[in-house]
Amino acid sequence: MVARGGRRATACHPVADVQAPRVARPPLLLAGDAAGVTRPHTATGAVKALQDALCLERVLREGPDPATALERYADERTAAGARLVELGRRMGRALVEEVPDWPAMGQDEVDVWFRGVLAGTWHYLYEDPGKAAGPAVATTSAGPTASAASAVGRPEPDAGSEATVAG
């Protein structure tokens, strides 16, 4: 298919994840992709930027001064970014490196497998915020086992993201 295209050059884009060790040190802060980039599997780039902005607005409003607010922002958003990077790595392993036998799986098995990939995380694409965490799904190197068919909930979204669409 590539050879039949009109272009004779192929471009490759590496997939990477990067997280700043700390996203703010007064008087400077990093937000959005500048603070950390996750693999495309998470589909969280724009949402993360919105969460960062909402968190910054909230911590500045709550005060008591800009330096303290930036420290609170750094505490919250550095941890949130690290969780997203970990989720991207887990999703990358599951969707690219350790792919299950898709043709052998029915819809129920796919649902169980994907819930296992997301187990212990909260993701705006998959469930409403605030659902109680459910039982864990057993996981093997090929992904979750089909015997663990219970629904997996997500923990509360990150502190300060109550008005956002992601956690």
Side-chain angles (χ1 to χ4, degrees), residues 123-148:
H123 194 287
Y124 76 98
L125 287 176
Y126 303 105
E127 289 189 10
D128 293 331
K131 295 219 176 191
V137 174
T139 304
T140 67
S141 62
T145 61
S147 62

Side-chain angles (χ1 to χ4, degrees), residues 39 41 86-100 113 117 141:
R39 297 175 192 208
H41 316 301
E86 190 281 324
L87 175 62
R89 289 176 178 159
R90 187 170 0 133
M91 291 178 79
R93 279 189 303 276
L95 295 168
V96 177
E97 299 168 22
E98 301 169 1
V99 181
W113 175 84
V117 170
S141 62

Side-chain angles (χ1 to χ4, degrees), residues 23-32 35 47-78 80 158-164:
V23 298
R25 291 224 190 273
L28 304 173
L29 76 97
L30 299 172
V47 171
K48 181 182 174 302
L50 290 169
Q51 288 179 321
D52 289 350
L54 288 168
C55 178
L56 180 60
E57 183 274 332
R58 180 181 47 77
V59 298
L60 286 169
R61 184 175 18 87
E62 292 173 354
D65 57 76
T68 302
L70 289 184
E71 289 296 338
R72 289 187 55 212
Y73 171 87
D75 291 343
E76 292 180 28
R77 299 312 298 160
T78 300
D158 299 327
S161 64
E162 58 277 340
T164 67

